[in-house]
Amino acid sequence: MSSLETTGLQQDKTPEIDLQTCAAKQLSCLGIPGLMTLEAIEFQLLELDSVLANSQQLAEQYKPLIANLPTALHSCFQVSAAGVEQLATMIQLLQSTPEAMWTFRDTCFNDYEMDFRLAKLQQQLTILTPLNKKLVPFVATNALGTTSSLRAIQTCLDNAGMFCWFSADWRKAKKETLALAVNEQLKLADIKMLFPAMIKYVNAQENHDAIFAEIPALSMANQGINTDLVPLLAVREWYKDVGFAITAHFAGEGEILTGLSVLAKEDADVLVATYADKLMTNIKVIDNQMNKLRLSFPECQILKQGDVSYLTSVAELKTIVVTQLNILKNGCNSTNVCLADCK
């Protein structure tokens, strides 16, 4: 055979060899060890197919749930690492939702100013409760009037002289004072000494009502001295938890809060139950499978991108593996050959 013929054969083989070398490098760039055989690499395709099938099943499970949920919550139903994390976070928030949230949820609870308002309410109730116990045996606390009217009556009585009976204002003040008594046997002097306590009581009551007046959404919670702050405090703490969750798991975007603010309780209950009964098992299976894939293909960058759908990332990885593996198999006599020997 002439040297020209030999050179021609080498030139014919070179493109095929280069193609195999390129394919081997492509697979190596995914982090596949050189000692792994083509047969073992091909076996990995089964795992890729399993992940794709489970991911597609999860996506189908999401569809009927999403149909009943606010659009702002749909981002939590992406079949991706970020989506799975966000959905788990949302479920935790719903599970920890205080019952009062469904009655009192309002954007005012997402404001740190609410902490000061609730603290002021607590302060006023701390004043009202003991004063109420002190006054109830003697005066009708629900008929005390305003702070200004009580001060006017007190001033009139305090400034009365020896001839107070001749003053129409004094007689009127006396009548109004005795009208406050719960017992007709109580005398003017008995009630008169309670004026400082009554004024302090009404002042606290007015401050209490003024705080509620600032936030119409809380009006139904205003029960006067019987106002229960525990539900309101629980709602405020829940909104704080939502704020922390937005920062930690939703890149600071407030869409989740927008969605939760309009989510119907019935739909929330269905979502939580469905997650526990049907979704969680599949999500855990996929999560374990993805962790294995990241170990099998440690240099595959798309598997590390949390916001990319598993259906996209795994399908792309499969395409690369299948394409390059077919090139190597066509150039080798056996699938038992190691990847390193294909270069």
Side-chain angles (χ1 to χ4, degrees):
M1 183 180 293
S2 67
S3 59
L4 183 61
E5 290 174 329
T6 303
T7 303
L9 288 174
Q10 288 176 342
Q11 288 176 341
D12 290 340
K13 291 182 180 179
T14 299
E16 182 179 344
I17 295 174
D18 288 345
L19 193 61
Q20 280 194 295
T21 300
C22 182
K25 286 183 177 179
Q26 285 257 28
L27 293 179
S28 296
C29 287
L30 295 176
I32 299 176
L35 295 177
M36 183 170 283
T37 64
L38 300 186
E39 183 180 26
I41 296 174
E42 189 171 25
F43 186 77
Q44 293 283 357
L45 294 175
L46 298 177
E47 187 66 20
L48 294 176
D49 287 336
S50 179
V51 175
L52 288 172
N54 289 332
S55 297
Q56 186 59 50
Q57 181 185 17
L58 183 61
E60 293 299 321
Q61 288 176 307
Y62 281 165
K63 286 181 180 179
L65 288 175
I66 293 175
N68 297 322
L69 297 179
T71 304
L73 299 181
H74 288 188
S75 62
C76 297
F77 293 87
Q78 300 298 318
V79 186
S80 64
V84 166
E85 180 183 349
Q86 290 177 353
L87 179 58
T89 301
M90 181 174 69
I91 294 298
Q92 289 175 355
L93 290 172
L94 290 174
Q95 289 174 328
S96 65
T97 300
E99 191 64 29
M101 196 281 290
W102 303 107
T103 302
F104 296 112
R105 60 178 170 180
D106 189 271
T107 54
C108 64
F109 280 98
N110 194 38
D111 189 343
Y112 279 99
E113 187 66 29
M114 179 59 73
D115 292 325
F116 298 105
R117 291 192 178 105
L118 292 176
K120 289 178 181 178
L121 280 174
Q122 185 64 64
Q123 182 182 32
Q124 300 310 312
L125 288 171
T126 301
I127 295 172
L128 287 168
T129 302
L131 283 177
N132 186 67
K133 291 181 179 180
K134 177 180 179 179
L135 295 172
V136 163
F138 305 102
V139 298
T141 54
N142 61 343
L144 295 180
T146 64
T147 302
S148 58
S149 64
L150 286 174
R151 286 198 174 113
I153 295 173
Q154 182 186 34
T155 299
C156 185
L157 294 177
D158 288 344
N159 293 337
M162 292 178 58
F163 305 101
C164 58
W165 278 102
F166 296 101
S167 170
D169 289 340
W170 182 88
R171 290 195 300 271
K172 179 183 177 184
K174 176 187 177 183
K175 181 180 180 180
E176 291 176 339
T177 300
L178 292 175
L180 298 176
V182 296
N183 190 328
E184 293 181 358
Q185 295 179 350
L186 292 172
K187 297 180 180 180
L188 179 62
D190 298 326
I191 306 301
K192 182 179 177 182
M193 64 187 301
L194 293 174
F195 266 97
M198 288 191 291
I199 291 173
K200 186 176 182 181
Y201 180 87
V202 172
N203 183 60
Q205 200 169 49
E206 290 172 345
N207 291 336
H208 172 277
D209 293 342
I211 295 171
F212 276 104
E214 294 175 0
I215 316 172
L218 299 185
S219 58
M220 67 177 68
N222 186 0
Q223 301 298 320
I225 192 172
N226 296 316
T227 297
D228 185 4
L229 290 184
V230 173
L232 301 183
L233 290 168
V235 174
R236 171 61 186 137
E237 287 303 312
W238 183 81
Y239 270 82
K240 287 182 183 179
D241 291 340
V242 174
F244 293 142
I246 289 174
T247 300
H249 304 287
F250 296 88
E253 297 179 4
E255 286 286 309
I256 179 71
L257 180 57
T258 302
L260 292 175
S261 296
V262 295
L263 177 65
K265 185 179 186 303
E266 295 75 15
D267 292 334
D269 291 340
V270 169
L271 175 57
V272 171
T274 303
Y275 182 83
D277 297 339
K278 299 179 180 180
L279 301 181
M280 190 183 299
T281 300
N282 198 12
I283 288 174
K284 286 183 177 180
V285 169
I286 296 173
D287 188 48
N288 289 333
Q289 288 180 316
M290 288 302 298
N291 287 335
K292 289 179 181 178
L293 288 184
R294 295 184 187 101
L295 291 175
S296 299
F297 305 94
E299 300 304 321
C300 181
Q301 296 304 311
I302 196 169
L303 292 183
K304 300 177 182 180
Q305 297 175 22
D307 58 342
V308 178
S309 169
Y310 293 152
L311 291 169
T312 299
S313 61
V314 177
E316 183 174 317
L317 173 60
K318 180 184 176 181
T319 299
I320 295 173
V321 174
V322 169
T323 302
Q324 307 311 320
L325 189 58
N326 285 337
I327 293 173
L328 294 177
K329 287 168 63 178
N330 289 336
C332 297
N333 296 324
S334 170
T335 56
N336 287 323
V337 64
C338 293
L339 180 62
D341 295 333
C342 297
K343 297 180 181 180

